[in-house]
Amino acid sequence: MNLSYTIALLASATMAGIIALIAWQRRSAPGAHALFALALALLVWALTYAIHWTEVYRPTPFFWLDLTYLGVVAAPTAFFAFTLLFTGSASHLSRRHILLLTIVPLLTVLLLWTDRWHHLFFGGQRSAGAILTGGLWFWINAIYLYGLVGLGIFFLVRYLVRTPSLYRGQGVAILLGAIFPVLGSIAGIAGISPFPDLDLTPFAFTLTGLAWAYGLFIQRMLDIIPIARDVLIENISDSVLVLDTQDRIVDLNPSALRLINRPAKSLLGKNLVDILPARRSLIERFRNVWEGEYEITLDGDGPRYLDVRISPLHDRRGAFTGRAIVLRDITDRKHAEQEIRQHLIELETINAVSQAVASQNELKAILQVTGEQVRQLLNAHGVFISLYDTQTNTISTPYWRLYDKFISVPPMSFGQGLTSHIIHTRQPLLINQDYERQSAALGVVRLESPARNPPKAWLGVPMIVSDQVIGVIGAQNYERENAFTENDVRVWTIIATNVGIAIRNAQLYDETRRYADQMAVLNRIGLALTEDFTMDRLLPTLHKQCQQIAPIDAFYVALYDERTFQRRVVYFDDRGEQRATPPTDIRVAPGLTGYIIQTRQTLYLPDTLDPAHPPPVPLIRTGGQPSRSFVGVPLIWRDHVVGVISMQSYEPNAYSPQQIHLLELVAVQAAIAIANAQLYDQVQRLAVTDELTGLPNRRVLYERGANEVNRAKRFNHPLAVAMLDIDHFKVVNDTYLHAAGDLVLRAIAEAFRQDLRNTDLATRYGGEEFVLVFPETEGSVAYQVVERLRHHIAHTEVAIGQNKTIRVTLSAGIAMLEPAMTSFDELIQHADQALYVAKQAGRDRTIVWSKDLQ
């Protein structure tokens, strides 16, 4: 163990560690990482060499000595990289070059640690402590490493020659710190060291540390970073010209060469006027200007803007020697400023239009404000704003102004015109010239324009809200082409979005208000429908209330019988005229009504005459003018279709989805009201009608009879009453059962309906008895009618089963209203007495009451 060697080497390692720590703390500075790697390599080199001279455990005799080569090969490489970074030559340090620099050091370490197998590094000459001699690869490595150190020193020396005095102390400190280890290494390899087999290089690290400490703490290395002249002048984008007192060029940088577009050899020593004769006036303008800053414009393919800075140059004695002219191309900045000004104007436009639109709540006002802004800002002759309805697939144009005239146009189907093209593509469209050809090339369906001539320029932008196109804003110029710019397209695309939001909000506001109105209408309709219980009063009320929903030219209500498949139009109003239509079987001729019943779905036909969208089934014409718009809604009650309600217009596209939806809500109430009316009519009918025969019952008989008695007495008219009874009816029931008796009763009632007048009244009095009332009829005429009825029934065969029929006869009694009678009951009693006499006389006959029968 050599204690003195160990102490000296540990001092060198400590110094290297301090430098590594400082470099790491200032690692954000250029070159700091390379200095840290260099100091770390020196620390490994000195520390492992110090351990080598101790008696510390080692697996092999040369273990710690072999480890020193980790620092030996890394230090020159890191030193070379540091000098490149420090002197501003970092461009040589590409990733590829760094990888190449590590090849030889890695091979050296590998060959050193495997030397016992190939002897390429030490050449079989290794002995204890011998590290300064070796074989072939030892000298290759030495040459390589010393070459890196030499190149690093070369860059440092060149830097010291060129750099200002401010940074020269840093370079000297780095150079001295590098020379000390090199000298120690050369002395050892050359054999002139006073200590044989001792590598003096690590010991020199102490001097290296002292020199670099001076550079770090005194010269502020890594704090003040030098910038080489080449970086400052050669690589800046500004053009630098140095002129002498005669305005001759004495120096210029590459940027100036590119600006003048001439080789450097042809420029040095030449006067600016001779080089740039076309710029003589500009050069003369600054001939006597020694200092200042100016802005000039150069004409060419496009204007170029230059910022010119002129500074005087003096020698060490203060004598004027020339001027330095720095030319900075500010064209991009000028263009940026122009764009900013243009953007400010555009933002002002967008803000003005957006505020004007946002201040309106009504859709009509928004359209008016937007159209006027488009007309003024784009100097447009024609302006239109179209709205697209996705539910009906139609485009309406509520605003269209051509010069000073407002134009009204009907809605059109989607797919026609340039507006549909914009909605489909969701992109703005600009046609600045040759409108006819360009619009035709788009393949759109041409529409007739309200203007006499096609426009010279045409612009349309979509209004997109929540990723949905709700319409288009369009402008036309009819006097000149290229009237609109791409900036106009961009600005109005933004404005169109804001306008679209305002329009959508107005639509939602209108929809909310309309919904409230519709709910109020629906409530009134519901109240009105519940007030009318009879069908005759209900249906006209339903028609009247539906006219509050939408304009209606024709309106009908059809009822459907599921048992017979019959649909019967019970109410049909065509512009105030009531129409009658025969019942139809929907299995044979369904028509639109049958189609709705079968599908149980609402049917809307915007135009029944549109050949592109024909009705789903053949139409059933009822005469009159054919409807264009048709809406039919099924009336569903308790999951049964009880009928159809329909509203129609003679104009196409007459109904909106909101109106159709409201009619569907009305249909729900109408179905309930109609079902209730049918039940009410049925109850009313059952109250006054005999359920078996369908004839009026005794209640109707006495009400009508009393009225007829009063009327006959008032106007002195005759009145006859006949009471009829079926002969031996009990035998029929007992023999053929009561079902056969019911058939007989129905057959007799049907005979009454066939043979009696509309003014006559036939009623079922009870059991097998019937009463007939003959207003304004003499007894003889009543007798003839009753006899005709009696003979008719006597010859009628009533089918009571398969191949089985029966016949019955009637007995009848007739009574006439007499002046002394005061009530209808007396008249019934006389007819009953006459009937009794007919029964006693043998039945199947008619007896007229007289006083003798009392």
Side-chain angles (χ1 to χ4, degrees):
M1 174 178 178
N2 194 319
L3 184 60
S4 59
Y5 287 175
T6 302
I7 293 173
L9 289 170
L10 289 175
S12 297
T14 302
M15 189 64 70
I18 293 173
I19 294 172
L21 179 62
I22 295 172
W24 181 253
Q25 291 175 342
R26 303 177 185 180
R27 57 186 176 275
S28 60
H33 286 89
L35 180 60
F36 171 77
L38 173 57
L40 192 64
L42 296 178
L43 171 64
V44 172
W45 192 346
L47 184 61
T48 55
Y49 201 39
I51 297 173
H52 171 72
W53 291 105
T54 67
E55 294 181 356
V56 174
Y57 168 78
R58 60 194 70 189
T60 64
F62 302 107
F63 176 77
W64 294 107
L65 199 61
D66 291 344
L67 286 181
T68 62
Y69 265 84
L70 294 176
V72 170
V73 298
T77 306
F79 172 73
F80 178 65
F82 174 66
T83 56
L84 291 179
L85 294 170
F86 181 81
T87 59
S89 303
S91 61
H92 299 293
L93 277 180
S94 65
R95 181 175 297 182
R96 180 172 176 269
H97 290 165
I98 293 174
L99 291 175
L100 291 175
L101 287 173
T102 60
I103 293 177
V104 173
L106 290 176
L107 284 175
T108 297
V109 173
L110 179 64
L111 293 175
L112 169 68
W113 290 351
T114 60
D115 182 72
R116 67 177 181 269
W117 290 305
H118 49 71
H119 304 295
L120 288 176
F121 192 83
F122 292 108
Q125 305 176 23
R126 192 171 197 184
S127 60
I131 63 172
L132 301 177
T133 59
L136 174 63
W137 192 259
F138 173 85
W139 293 107
I140 292 174
N141 177 63
I143 294 171
Y144 174 76
L145 297 181
Y146 280 116
L148 290 180
V149 174
L151 284 175
I153 292 174
F154 167 76
F155 280 108
L156 283 172
V157 171
R158 189 179 68 170
Y159 164 77
L160 291 174
V161 173
R162 297 182 177 182
T163 191
S165 57
L166 174 65
Y167 305 110
R168 197 166 291 160
Q170 300 178 5
V172 171
I174 296 173
L175 181 60
L176 289 176
I179 288 177
F180 292 137
V182 172
L183 292 177
S185 178
I186 292 175
I189 292 177
I192 59 176
S193 171
F195 306 99
D197 294 329
L198 180 66
D199 187 1
L200 297 178
T201 306
F203 295 94
F205 293 164
T206 304
L207 299 177
T208 298
L210 293 174
W212 287 356
Y214 170 79
L216 287 169
F217 297 109
I218 305 301
Q219 296 297 327
R220 299 180 65 188
M221 184 173 66
L222 299 183
D223 290 334
I224 301 176
I225 306 301
I227 301 177
R229 184 265 180 194
D230 289 344
V231 175
L232 178 64
I233 303 298
E234 298 295 325
N235 296 325
I236 63 175
S237 59
D238 294 347
S239 300
V240 180
L241 290 171
V242 180
L243 306 180
D244 62 11
T245 56
Q246 304 299 318
D247 285 342
R248 292 173 299 190
I249 298 177
V250 296
D251 197 4
L252 73 169
N253 68 345
S255 179
L257 287 173
R258 290 191 294 271
L259 179 64
I260 300 175
N261 198 22
R262 296 271 296 276
K265 293 180 180 180
S266 64
L267 299 178
L268 295 176
K270 299 293 182 63
N271 192 287
L272 273 180
V273 175
D274 298 334
I275 296 173
L276 302 171
R279 305 290 183 184
R280 176 181 293 274
S281 60
L282 183 61
I283 296 172
E284 292 293 338
R285 173 185 169 188
F286 296 101
R287 180 176 293 280
N288 297 319
V289 176
W290 314 115
E291 187 173 6
E293 185 174 354
Y294 307 90
E295 185 178 303
I296 62 175
T297 303
L298 302 180
D299 297 328
D301 294 338
R304 295 183 63 187
Y305 303 93
L306 299 178
D307 178 71
V308 181
R309 297 185 181 185
I310 303 176
S311 302
L313 299 176
H314 303 87
D315 59 16
R316 293 182 179 179
R317 295 186 296 277
F320 177 72
T321 58
R323 295 177 295 170
I325 301 176
V326 180
L327 304 173
R328 174 170 294 178
D329 192 336
I330 59 172
T331 303
D332 291 341
R333 190 186 76 187
K334 280 290 185 180
H335 289 165
E337 291 175 353
Q338 292 173 358
E339 289 181 3
I340 291 174
R341 285 194 294 271
Q342 179 65 31
H343 288 166
L344 288 175
I345 295 173
E346 293 171 357
L347 288 175
E348 290 176 357
T349 302
I350 294 171
N351 185 56
V353 177
S354 299
Q355 286 187 351
V357 171
S359 64
Q360 306 296 328
N361 292 325
E362 298 291 336
L363 178 60
K364 183 177 180 181
I366 293 173
L367 298 177
Q368 290 287 348
V369 170
T370 303
E372 186 62 23
Q373 292 286 342
V374 175
R375 192 176 69 90
Q376 293 181 3
L377 296 174
L378 292 180
N379 193 25
H381 304 132
V383 178
F384 71 86
I385 302 176
S386 296
L387 302 179
Y388 176 50
D389 190 332
T390 56
Q391 294 183 339
T392 62
N393 210 27
T394 57
I395 301 172
S396 61
T397 306
Y399 182 92
W400 194 334
R401 179 172 180 174
L402 184 60
Y403 291 98
D404 294 329
K405 181 181 179 182
F406 289 95
I407 300 171
S408 177
V409 294
M412 64 179 180
S413 300
F414 175 74
Q416 301 176 339
L418 295 177
T419 303
S420 295
H421 176 78
I422 294 174
I423 294 173
H424 174 70
T425 61
R426 304 169 61 89
Q427 297 296 324
L429 176 63
L430 174 61
I431 301 177
N432 254 336
Q433 53 188 354
D434 200 3
Y435 171 83
E436 290 281 356
R437 182 185 62 81
Q438 291 199 41
S439 60
L442 295 174
V444 299
V445 178
R446 299 292 295 275
L447 298 174
E448 183 178 352
S449 173
R452 294 181 179 179
N453 300 315
K456 298 290 186 180
W458 196 95
L459 169 63
V461 292
M463 293 184 289
I464 302 178
V465 179
S466 300
D467 200 38
Q468 180 180 357
V469 181
I470 69 165
V472 172
I473 298 176
Q476 303 92 31
N477 191 297
Y478 289 90
E479 297 178 2
R480 64 186 180 90
E481 295 182 338
N482 300 305
F484 309 121
T485 66
E486 292 294 339
N487 281 337
D488 293 333
V489 176
R490 183 165 51 84
V491 171
W492 281 97
T493 299
I494 298 173
I495 292 176
T497 299
N498 295 336
V499 172
I501 293 173
I503 289 176
R504 189 66 187 124
N505 289 338
Q507 289 175 332
L508 292 175
Y509 175 76
D510 288 345
E511 288 175 4
T512 302
R513 186 175 59 184
R514 186 167 54 250
Y515 177 77
D517 295 340
Q518 291 173 349
M519 291 301 101
V521 170
L522 192 62
N523 183 56
R524 290 196 300 270
I525 292 175
L527 292 175
L529 294 181
T530 56
E531 292 177 355
D532 294 314
F533 292 104
T534 64
M535 197 72 72
D536 292 341
R537 296 172 58 189
L538 172 66
L539 299 181
T541 300
L542 178 61
H543 178 200
K544 180 180 178 181
Q545 296 300 329
C546 285
Q547 288 176 323
Q548 301 180 45
I549 300 175
I552 299 176
D553 292 325
F555 180 87
Y556 76 78
V557 177
L559 299 183
Y560 176 61
D561 189 336
E562 291 182 336
R563 297 172 300 173
T564 62
F565 299 98
Q566 295 285 318
R567 70 105 175 135
R568 180 169 54 92
V569 178
V570 294
Y571 183 90
F572 195 159
D573 183 279
D574 188 356
R575 287 183 174 178
E577 179 184 350
Q578 293 295 316
R579 292 185 176 275
T581 59
T584 58
D585 188 327
I586 66 170
R587 296 173 297 180
V588 179
L592 296 181
T593 303
Y595 177 81
I596 295 169
I597 293 172
Q598 292 170 341
T599 60
R600 303 169 66 93
Q601 298 291 328
T602 297
L603 175 64
Y604 173 49
L605 300 176
D607 189 353
T608 59
L609 303 182
D610 183 4
H613 302 88
V617 293
L619 301 179
I620 299 176
R621 296 294 183 188
T622 59
Q625 180 181 352
S627 299
R628 297 295 295 275
S629 299
F630 175 91
V631 180
V633 181
L635 299 170
I636 299 177
W637 182 70
R638 293 185 178 179
D639 201 35
H640 294 280
V641 180
V642 299
V644 171
I645 182 174
S646 172
M647 62 181 184
Q648 304 164 39
S649 173
Y650 292 131
E651 297 294 332
N653 303 301
Y655 302 119
S656 67
Q658 293 79 13
Q659 292 169 327
I660 297 172
H661 177 65
L662 192 55
L663 182 64
E664 291 175 329
L665 296 179
V666 171
V668 174
Q669 294 184 333
I672 298 173
I674 288 174
N676 290 337
Q678 288 176 325
L679 291 174
Y680 180 79
D681 289 345
Q682 183 179 359
V683 171
Q684 291 296 102
R685 187 171 58 255
L686 291 175
V688 298
T689 305
D690 176 62
E691 185 177 3
L692 179 61
T693 61
L695 296 176
N697 58 16
R698 181 180 294 193
R699 175 183 173 184
V700 177
L701 171 65
Y702 278 92
E703 289 179 356
R704 175 82 177 273
N707 291 334
E708 292 296 336
V709 167
N710 293 333
R711 192 167 67 90
K713 283 181 170 293
R714 183 182 306 116
F715 298 104
N716 196 25
H717 289 163
L719 176 63
V721 171
M723 180 174 286
L724 299 88
D725 182 84
I726 303 173
D727 297 330
H728 305 294
F729 187 67
K730 186 176 183 302
V731 176
V732 173
N733 285 333
D734 292 343
T735 304
Y736 303 105
L737 302 180
H738 286 80
D742 292 343
L743 293 175
V744 170
L745 292 172
R746 292 194 186 102
I748 293 173
E750 183 60 30
F752 291 163
R753 281 189 283 267
Q754 293 178 7
D755 293 348
L756 295 180
R757 301 172 302 179
N758 292 334
T759 57
D760 298 333
L761 175 64
T763 65
R764 185 182 181 189
Y765 192 73
E768 66 271 24
E769 292 181 328
F770 299 89
V771 173
L772 308 180
V773 180
F774 301 101
E776 301 182 19
T777 304
E778 296 290 346
S780 59
V781 175
Y783 179 82
Q784 294 175 2
V785 172
V786 172
E787 281 295 294
R788 185 171 64 250
L789 277 172
R790 198 172 58 79
H791 285 89
H792 178 185
I793 292 170
H795 292 84
T796 299
E797 292 185 351
V798 180
I800 60 173
Q802 188 175 7
N803 299 325
K804 184 181 293 185
T805 62
I806 61 174
R807 293 183 182 182
V808 295
T809 60
L810 294 178
S811 296
I814 299 176
M816 296 295 299
L817 180 65
E818 297 179 356
M821 289 182 178
T822 59
S823 67
F824 183 68
D825 285 337
E826 295 180 68
L827 190 58
I828 290 294
Q829 290 176 6
H830 287 184
D832 189 23
Q833 291 176 4
L835 173 61
Y836 179 77
V837 172
K839 288 279 191 180
Q840 293 297 321
R843 296 183 174 84
D844 192 18
R845 68 195 61 216
T846 302
I847 300 296
V848 179
W849 185 87
S850 66
K851 290 181 179 181
D852 296 337
L853 296 181
Q854 288 182 328

